[in-house]
Amino acid sequence: MSKKSTSRKFIKLLLYFFALFIFQEIFFRFSFPLPEIKNLDRINYLNWHPDVNRTNYLRDQNWYWQSEPDTQAVFEHYMNRYGFRDDEWLIKKPNGKKRAIFIGDSFVEGLMAKQDETITAGFIKAAGEQEYEVFNAGMMGMGLNSYLQLLADIVPICNPEVVFFCIYANDFGQKQVVPPELYLEAEFYKWYIPRIIELFIQIKSNGPILFRWDNRIKPFLQAIPSVSNPWTKEEEKLKPHVDPMLAEAMKTGKFNPYRTNSLIKEERYLKKKPNLGKQSLSYNTFVTNSMLNLSLSTSPAETR
């Protein structure tokens, strides 16, 4: 065989493997999309039970919420690639638009509301899609420490003109509020690293790998036995204080198991000065500013 013939075969082989690499790269990038920032995920701000594995990403996972004693409706939450109930977030701001970010509790996320009936959806309708881009960074069931850390992390990265910080009575828990000492340094995915390598790293570290067309919806409230459901280990202690019908719904994941005595708890939090620690921001100023932001959610603010 001549050197020229061998050289041609070698070139054809190289072209074949190059075309194969390009094809699989396009396939993996399209079928397994990843966010722009690899170290930003909702899982970092959740107060999990210590026995729960909190390393898994929450990106792109869809959940449904039931509250059977109240309604037979099932409320579906469709999450973006950072694990928040919103459309996909692009870090680069669109030309000619102001960016607003809503951070807060279940009212912001829109618990028991449709995807297009959240506070952020109402804001964008009132303010206009041509003028504002809005991020819904609401997280149900968290506390002030989680919200403040998310605030410290996401604002420098996304650089919004307006931030709405929305809280409710039960966000003032017994734990002292600790101002964030550190903020997230965004780590972006490198465009030149093959997607299959990034996916392998994700499987080994945080997982899960989600297929673009995987539309499964999982229950947010887990039935017993699950460490995320307090009835798993505390049934005998809780049973005397809960109506049997409500108790059954809590145990089967069809009613929030943390609603036991919730009205009494919220009344206590409203009447008691929260433990904000040694901070320059007074309680009255803190609440006043929070309520102001809530009232501004129906009219766009012009100040930073």
Side-chain angles (χ1 to χ4, degrees):
M1 185 179 294
S2 66
K3 290 185 178 180
K4 189 173 183 180
S5 177
T6 303
S7 176
R8 285 177 179 174
K9 286 187 176 182
F10 181 72
I11 292 174
K12 288 181 179 179
L13 190 63
L14 284 179
L15 290 175
Y16 170 78
F17 281 110
F18 179 75
L20 184 64
F21 171 79
I22 295 297
F23 174 79
Q24 65 86 24
E25 186 67 15
I26 294 173
F27 172 79
F28 280 114
R29 285 182 180 269
F30 186 75
S31 301
F32 300 96
L34 294 174
E36 294 178 69
I37 301 175
K38 65 164 59 179
N39 58 340
L40 175 62
D41 191 89
R42 179 175 178 158
I43 196 72
N44 299 329
Y45 309 98
L46 301 192
N47 301 320
W48 287 110
H49 187 283
D51 294 335
V52 176
N53 180 2
R54 55 166 294 168
T55 60
N56 288 346
Y57 289 123
L58 290 180
R59 59 178 59 151
D60 271 334
Q61 299 189 53
N62 301 320
W63 308 88
Y64 69 84
W65 176 282
Q66 288 179 275
S67 189
E68 199 168 77
D70 304 305
T71 175
Q72 294 299 309
V74 176
F75 302 94
E76 298 177 348
H77 289 206
Y78 296 95
M79 307 306 200
N80 63 17
R81 292 172 196 162
Y82 296 105
F84 294 90
R85 193 186 186 193
D86 204 355
D87 296 331
E88 296 304 334
W89 294 348
L90 298 178
I91 303 305
K92 183 179 179 181
K93 297 166 69 173
N95 294 331
K97 286 188 179 183
K98 299 175 185 176
R99 175 171 288 173
I101 295 180
F102 282 75
I103 296 175
D105 56 12
S106 55
F107 285 98
V108 178
E109 182 165 348
L111 181 62
M112 297 180 69
K114 294 180 180 180
Q115 197 86 358
D116 60 352
E117 294 178 348
T118 61
I119 290 177
T120 53
F123 178 90
I124 199 66
K125 289 178 182 177
E129 294 185 7
Q130 300 303 316
E131 185 173 357
Y132 275 89
E133 177 193 41
V134 183
F135 287 3
N136 183 347
M139 300 185 295
M140 69 173 81
M142 298 300 102
L144 284 177
N145 288 335
S146 294
Y147 303 140
L148 290 174
Q149 186 62 62
L150 176 60
L151 185 73
D153 289 347
I154 200 174
V155 169
I157 294 173
C158 297
N159 192 27
E161 280 75 21
V162 187
V163 176
F164 295 95
F165 188 47
C166 310
I167 55 177
Y168 182 61
N170 60 2
D171 294 316
F172 295 105
Q174 298 301 310
K175 294 182 180 179
Q176 178 176 320
V177 176
V178 181
E181 296 182 358
L182 301 173
Y183 63 89
L184 185 72
E185 295 187 16
E187 183 180 351
F188 290 85
Y189 284 101
K190 305 292 193 303
W191 65 268
Y192 53 82
I193 297 180
R195 178 55 52 91
I196 194 170
I197 294 178
E198 294 285 13
L199 294 176
F200 178 76
I201 294 172
Q202 181 168 320
I203 291 173
K204 296 289 288 185
S205 58
N206 295 72
I209 296 297
L210 295 176
F211 193 50
R212 178 184 289 272
W213 296 280
D214 184 357
N215 295 319
R216 288 175 296 177
I217 302 179
K218 297 178 290 187
F220 188 88
L221 300 174
Q222 299 294 320
I224 60 172
S226 169
V227 291
S228 65
N229 190 321
W231 284 80
T232 299
K233 295 182 179 181
E234 305 290 341
E235 182 171 353
E236 294 305 316
K237 185 186 296 186
L238 295 171
K239 188 160 50 175
H241 305 284
V242 183
D243 179 276
M245 185 268 290
L246 295 178
E248 185 61 26
M250 290 178 175
K251 290 190 290 182
T252 56
K254 296 180 180 178
F255 186 58
N256 187 356
Y258 291 97
R259 296 305 292 174
T260 303
N261 296 331
S262 60
L263 291 179
I264 297 175
K265 295 176 185 176
E266 292 175 9
E267 180 185 17
R268 184 169 72 248
Y269 295 150
L270 277 171
K271 292 180 178 179
K272 184 177 180 180
K273 183 177 179 179
N275 187 3
L276 296 178
K278 296 179 180 179
Q279 301 188 63
S280 59
L281 188 62
S282 70
Y283 169 63
N284 289 334
T285 303
F286 190 82
V287 174
T288 300
N289 288 344
S290 300
M291 295 306 294
L292 178 61
N293 282 341
L294 281 171
S295 67
L296 287 174
S297 65
T298 55
S299 61
E302 295 297 332
T303 59
R304 184 182 293 270

